[in-house]
């Protein structure tokens, strides 16, 4: 294509070559600048989101975006901004055409060695045909077979990896299609692509947020930010500035997150690639991914084999010339020796071995998208794991209760068989009734046959946890609600921090009961009495102290704590009374405090054992979560990421009763790093933490920080595996040596960015994958060693054929029979070898030292087993020829006469003369026994 012109045309600039020469350095400079700019852009994207719109007052916001907060933009102004900024859409990155991907499979890695072998064979055949009329077609057949092998394995590998990266498509699926905007005071439904900065947008429950919004008014609005921040519970939104961090404040809604309930109005502050989601999409698709460990190993292997082949080829080329062979024959010998060193069946063996392991891993809930990732998992030395859904069950569960001044433990196991506690206490009956009735969660219909713990619910995570717990531990919530119908309610909101409901009492003397739950300190403010073993007592300082201790203990375990209280309303509030929840017309003070219930997303049962296995296998497990540090630390201790008896700096400070600043962080084996601290750290400080602490938890992290943590681990020389399920995890998943997405809870984006998908979302499956990865490395080593042992018995007949001028013991066709026939099946069968007993007790292999093919393996395959096979083959060769009249000493120098089809008086050791008609069958028979003895002497 002409530069600066249309296809097929030549511009005046191209007719004159001199300006092009002058532009050369400039073009190089421009390219360098482009690369530098791209690198700078990527570094910018890795930084935290810088926003100040959430801090602005409404007047300042109106001035900044030149918009009327009631009327919105005018249609004309909106069109101007659309022309200037472009559509509100994510820019797709340059994609790799399918034919390029196919060519990479066909010509990349090990395939290139076989192609070189095939080309050399065709070259040798061409030279022979040109200079000899009666040349054999052995080299032609060998070249054709090599080309066919590469094509078949290339097609197979391409087919296996056809489900290649579609990251941007996944991001596009998350983009809403329509948006409700207010322009010139009129509400209008427009395409999301037409939304511009400054637009006044209205969203309601069920909508997807069309752009990054600064909220100006809300009514009970909650958004699901889980795809962006990893927080599983819906987050309340309000027009108030509540946090410095734009990701934490309540007055910002983010592009492509979901509004789950309520309504809100906001001003668009960013569109398309400028949004927080757009930045993550650009960062994910722009990341450069390094070579997988197995790809690096195969490259190392190719260099070794090529080095050996070229060394032998050149040595015998020089030797041939010294021995008096012509240059033509010497070149044929050179090509022959190089090709003989190429293990023709190895590419197919490696591909099939990896595929078999991938299928075996799929049966164990590890779905591998990229064949090379099979081995990468086995090389992993650091796992950066997300918390929610991977280490935990991804469902809030009641963990503890505090009533009658005692803490009781609930059952948090996945089966929830139910631990016993003081179920006979009257206080428990009342606590259970409040938890069931002052609760908006409900079971979805037609699930009666399922265990209670597995039933799907409507309502938020905490209320669903209470619903399931009461259903299991007390009685049917449905029946309770039927007997005590709800007549009034104040839903939970972030201002009040409580939820109140009034119920009719069918079985009591008083008509109504008021029930309340919420933040413990807020609930205590409403109470003047407390319940102890079914009896009311006035609230006193001792009770308040007990309450404070229990609250701190449960909160310190990383659990979400709720307080519960009630009030039997006076008889004046009889059946039929109209309760007004806007203008309160009923008492809401002097309530009776009942107790506390705390909830947590509990660890999966198999995780502590899996973390223990990782530790014994020398793998460092780091928790990287968007959750609160206290919760993260509690779960880390529960699953063994922070082992028993290990202290963090905070624990040391508490023990020594000194401020945290006075402790030496290096003395603490474990550390919990807050995202706000990580934000201000340099790369060197992060490296220091990763180097000096063996047990690490990163909490309240942003998507960019997850990526920075992964890069930090890679700087330490670690092979990093990352687990994640949200859009926020996708940059880290892409950058990791192996990204592992969740199959059940994972977003499409995370699944596309990852190399492997956990079908059961269970961390324990990763450990199984690590074991399989280590096993395939061991087995590939055995397969390669087995295959390489044939090289010496294949090369030595050719070398003795040149040096001693004896009849050729092994032809090209026989070599192919060995490499693609008798060797391949046993080599593949080694993929089924079971693991060594210490496979998960060894430290992860060091990719720099522990290679797939090392000098020791080459030495054993070539110098030991290969030599034994060659001796076995030659023993048979000499025995057969001796039986037919040719003693070994008489074979020297007879090559030319032996191969001449017109030479009919070849004399053997006993004076017999052999003609072409007698010697021909012997010639064809010789390679067979050589091959059989070569295979018989292979290690079984």
């Amino acid at each position: 294509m002409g530069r600066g012109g249309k296809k097929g045309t030549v511009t005046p600039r191209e007719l004159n070559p001199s300006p092009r020469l002058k532009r050369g350095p400039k073009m190089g400079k421009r390219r360098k600048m482009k690369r530098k700019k791209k690198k700078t852009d990527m570094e910018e994207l890795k930084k935290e989101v810088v926003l100040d719109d959430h801090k602005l007052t409404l007047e300042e916001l109106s001035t900044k975006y030149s918009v009327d907060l009631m009327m919105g933009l005018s249609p004309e102004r909106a069109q101007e901004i659309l022309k200037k900024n472009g559509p509100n859409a994510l820019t797709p990155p340059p994609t790799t055409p399918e034919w390029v991907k196919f060519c990479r499979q066909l010509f990349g890695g090990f395939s290139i060695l076989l192609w070189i072998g095939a080309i050399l064979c065709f070259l040798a055949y061409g030279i022979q045909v040109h200079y000899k009329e009666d040349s054999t077609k052995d080299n032609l057949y060998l070249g054709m077979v090599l080309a066919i092998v590469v094509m078949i394995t290339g097609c197979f590998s391409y087919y296996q990896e056809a489900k290649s990266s579609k990251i941007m498509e996944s991001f596009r699926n998350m983009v809403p299609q329509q948006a409700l905007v207010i322009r010139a005071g009129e509400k209008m439904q427009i395409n999301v692509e037409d939304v511009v900065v400054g637009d006044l947008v209205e969203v309601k429950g069920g909508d997807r947020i069309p752009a990054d919004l600064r909220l100006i008014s809300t009514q009970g609005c909650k958004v699901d930010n889980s795809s962006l921040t990893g927080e599983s519970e819906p987050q309340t939104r309000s027009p108030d500035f509540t946090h410095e961090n734009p990701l934490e404040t309540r007055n910002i809604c983010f592009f492509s997150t979901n509004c789950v309930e309520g309504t809100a109005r906001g001003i668009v502050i960013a569109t398309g690639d400028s949004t927080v989601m757009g930045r993550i999409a650009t960062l994910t698709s722009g990341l450069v991914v390094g070579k997988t460990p197995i790809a690096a190993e195969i490259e190392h292997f190719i260099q070794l084999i090529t080095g050996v082949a070229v060394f032998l080829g050149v040595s015998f080329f020089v030797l041939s010339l010294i021995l008096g062979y012509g240059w033509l024959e010497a070149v044929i010998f050179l090509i022959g020796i190089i090709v003989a060193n190429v293990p023709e069946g190895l590419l197919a063996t490696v591909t099939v071995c990896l595929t078999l392991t991938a299928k075996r891993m799929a049966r164990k809930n590890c779905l591998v998208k990229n064949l090379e990732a099979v081995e990468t998992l086995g090389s992993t030395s650091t796992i950066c794991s997300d918390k929610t859904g991977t280490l935990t069950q991804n469902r809030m569960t009641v963990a503890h209760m505090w009533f009658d001044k005692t803490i009781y433990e609930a059952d948090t196991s996945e089966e929830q068989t139910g631990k016993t506690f003081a179920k006979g206490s009257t206080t428990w009956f009342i606590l259970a009734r409040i938890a069931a009735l002052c609760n908006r969660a409900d079971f979805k219909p037609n699930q009666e046959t399922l265990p209670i713990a597995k039933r799907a619910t409507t309502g938020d995570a905490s209320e669903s946890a209470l619903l399931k717990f009461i259903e299991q531990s007390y009685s049917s919530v449905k029946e309770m609600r039927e007997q005590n119908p709800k007549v009034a309610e104040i839903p939970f909101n972030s201002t009040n921090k409580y939820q109140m409901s009034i119920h009719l009492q069918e079985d009591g003397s008083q008509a109504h009961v008021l029930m309340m739950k919420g933040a413990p300190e807020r609930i205590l403010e409403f109470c003047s009495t407390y319940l102890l073993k079914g009896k009311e007592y006035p609230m006193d300082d001792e009770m308040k102290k007990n309450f404070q201790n229990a609250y701190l203990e449960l909160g310190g375990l990383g659990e979400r704590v709720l307080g519960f209280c009630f009030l039997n309303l006076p008889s004046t509030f009889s059946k039929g009374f109209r309760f007004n929840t806007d203008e309160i017309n009923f008492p809401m003070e002097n309530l009776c405090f009942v107790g506390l219930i705390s909830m947590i997303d509990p660890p999966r049962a198999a995780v502590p054992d899996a973390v223990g296995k990782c530790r014994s296998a020398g793998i460092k497990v780091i928790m990287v979560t968007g959750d609160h540090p206290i919760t993260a630390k509690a779960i880390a201790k529960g699953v063994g990421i922070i082992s028993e008896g290990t202290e963090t700096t905070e624990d040391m400070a508490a023990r020594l009763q000194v401020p945290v600043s006075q402790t030496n962080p290096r003395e603490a084996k474990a550390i919990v790093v807050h995202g706000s601290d990580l934000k201000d750290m340099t790369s060197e400080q992060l490296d220091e933490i990763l180097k000096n602490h063996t047990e690490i938890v990163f909490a309240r992290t942003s998507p960019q920080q997850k990526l920075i943590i992964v890069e930090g681990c890679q700087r330490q020389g670690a092979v990093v595996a990352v687990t994640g399920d949200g859009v926020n995890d996708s940059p880290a998943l892409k950058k990791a040596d192996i990204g592992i997405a969740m199959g059940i809870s994972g977003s499409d984006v995370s699944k596309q960015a990852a190399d492997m998908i956990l079908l059961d979302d269970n961390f324990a499956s990763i450990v199984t994958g690590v074991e399989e990865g280590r096993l395939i490395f061991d087995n590939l080593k055995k397969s390669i060693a087995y295959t390489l042992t044939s090289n010496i018995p294949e090369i030595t007949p050719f070398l003795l054929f040149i040096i001693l001028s004896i009849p050729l013991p092994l032809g090209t066709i026989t070599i192919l029979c060995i490499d693609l026939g008798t060797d391949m099946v046993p080599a593949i069968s080694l993929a089924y070898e079971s693991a060594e007993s210490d496979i998960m007790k060894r430290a992860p292999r060091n990719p720099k030292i522990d290679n797939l093919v090392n000098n020791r393996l080459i030495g054993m395959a070539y110098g030991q087993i290969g030599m034994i096979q060659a001796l076995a083959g030659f023993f048979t060769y000499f025995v057969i020829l001796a039986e037919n009249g040719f003693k070994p000493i008489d074979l020297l120098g007879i090559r030319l006469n032996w191969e001449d089809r017109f030479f009919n008086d070849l004399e053997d050791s006993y004076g017999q003369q052999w003609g072409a008609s007698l010697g021909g069958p012997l010639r064809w028979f010789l390679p067979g026994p050589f091959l059989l003895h070569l295979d018989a002497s292979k290690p079984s």
Side-chain angles (χ1 to χ4, degrees), residues 142-319:
L142 181 55
M144 286 169 69
V145 169
L146 285 173
I148 290 164
V149 166
V150 180
M151 284 177 186
I152 291 170
T153 49
C155 291
F156 183 68
S157 298
Y158 174 74
Y159 169 73
Q160 285 291 324
E161 294 176 15
K163 312 171 194 96
S164 59
S165 180
K166 293 177 183 171
I167 293 167
M168 286 309 296
E169 283 180 33
S170 307
F171 274 106
R172 282 201 290 274
N173 291 339
M174 297 187 70
V175 176
Q177 303 304 311
Q178 294 281 309
L180 182 65
V181 297
I182 298 161
R183 286 182 181 169
E186 282 185 36
K187 286 187 180 182
M188 54 178 79
Q189 201 86 19
I190 63 167
N191 283 338
V192 162
E193 289 194 354
D194 299 331
V195 170
V196 297
V197 171
D199 253 330
L200 179 57
V201 174
E202 194 170 285
V203 290
K204 62 183 186 307
D207 289 351
R208 217 167 234 182
I209 309 297
D212 283 0
L213 306 178
R214 160 68 158 87
L215 299 180
I216 58 171
S217 68
T218 61
Q219 278 185 316
C221 179
K222 281 189 177 182
V223 289
D224 175 10
N225 278 352
S226 58
S227 65
L228 190 64
T229 61
E231 291 165 307
S232 50
E233 288 207 25
Q235 303 297 303
T236 306
R237 298 289 98 170
S238 72
D240 310 318
F241 163 51
T242 57
H243 204 286
E244 286 286 330
N245 186 343
L247 291 174
E248 300 271 353
T249 189
R250 286 184 176 164
N251 60 356
I252 302 267
C253 279
F254 298 103
F255 178 46
S256 92
T257 59
N258 291 312
C259 176
V260 289
E261 61 180 75
T263 59
R265 273 191 185 192
I267 298 295
V268 174
I269 56 172
T271 58
D273 291 339
S274 305
T275 61
V276 172
M277 189 69 77
R279 285 168 63 92
I280 296 171
T282 312
L283 182 58
T284 305
S285 56
L287 284 170
V288 178
V289 184
K291 275 184 193 159
T292 60
I294 194 78
E297 288 303 329
I298 286 169
E299 194 174 287
H300 173 254
F301 171 60
I302 290 167
Q303 288 167 355
L304 261 177
I305 290 292
T306 308
V308 170
V310 170
F311 171 74
L312 286 173
V314 171
S315 302
F316 282 93
F317 173 75
V318 172
L319 194 62

Side-chain angles (χ1 to χ4, degrees), residues 489-522:
E489 181 180 38
I490 298 175
F492 182 89
N493 66 55
S494 55
T495 312
N496 294 339
K497 292 190 177 175
Y498 67 78
Q499 178 184 345
M500 187 279 299
S501 61
I502 298 171
H503 298 264
L504 195 62
Q505 288 202 53
E506 289 295 330
D507 51 351
S509 55
Q510 285 154 319
H512 290 101
V513 61
L514 181 149
M515 296 177 171
M516 195 184 284
K517 78 165 190 283
E521 68 280 5
R522 192 81 176 89

